[in-house]
Amino acid sequence: MIFEGAHGWSNYSKIPALEYLYLEDSYVLGIVSTDDTIEFKMEFVLIQDHPLYCDPQPGEQYCYKRGRLKFANIQNVREFLRTNSRAIDATGEVDFGNIDSFVSQKQRYVLEGEWGKLDIESDEPSVTYI
């Protein structure tokens, strides 16, 4: 695992599209990869400064918003490991855990969680909401 501050690595919150997200408690709902993109289907936790933030729903701790985290124009995939680890929430929906660690250095991004690990060189990741 690479840590923030180690030899120029930065936490994901320095990436403009991810600045107001809390990925450690967001859920990975699926991962789709093609030749030049990798996309995480997500249940994002929005922090209060996010423009789409709203008060949490009754019984929830956070403001959640569904969306996608996309890595496009992939130049190099150094490592892409996926596990079979999955959980079923109270509504019966399957998730693959959280993104526990996400650091970047220039156009290299390293993410890890229960779902697996991704070490990739690509365009800066983008986020879309549904």
Side-chain angles (χ1 to χ4, degrees), residues 3-125:
F3 295 99
E4 176 183 8
H7 304 287
W9 289 91
S10 299
N11 184 280
Y12 69 86
S13 62
K14 306 283 192 269
I15 299 169
L18 306 175
E19 182 177 14
Y20 300 115
L21 299 176
Y22 183 52
L23 296 180
E24 292 84 353
D25 277 340
S26 299
Y27 294 99
V28 176
L29 303 177
I31 303 171
V32 177
S33 60
T34 65
D35 289 340
D36 66 343
T37 65
I38 295 177
E39 187 173 271
F40 287 72
K41 295 178 182 179
M42 299 289 300
E43 181 85 28
F44 290 113
V45 170
L46 309 183
I47 62 172
Q48 281 189 322
D49 292 333
H50 194 287
L52 298 175
Y53 179 84
C54 60
D55 289 333
Q57 297 294 314
E60 293 185 346
Q61 182 178 2
Y62 299 111
C63 168
Y64 293 97
K65 183 78 175 156
R66 294 223 173 187
R68 292 181 172 86
L69 170 62
K70 183 176 182 180
F71 296 87
N73 297 318
I74 295 171
Q75 290 98 40
N76 186 20
V77 177
R78 294 170 180 253
E79 187 173 15
F80 188 24
L81 301 172
R82 294 170 73 171
T83 68
N84 290 325
S85 178
R86 60 181 69 196
I88 299 174
D89 69 15
T91 66
E93 186 168 34
V94 173
D95 75 69
F96 299 91
N98 313 106
I99 296 176
D100 298 320
S101 172
F102 185 162
V103 292
S104 67
Q105 183 183 62
K106 298 181 183 176
Q107 288 191 299
R108 184 175 172 197
Y109 306 95
V110 180
L111 299 75
E112 293 185 60
E114 293 174 39
W115 51 270
K117 180 178 181 180
L118 176 63
D119 184 343
I120 190 171
E121 293 175 38
S122 70
D123 287 355
E124 186 170 277

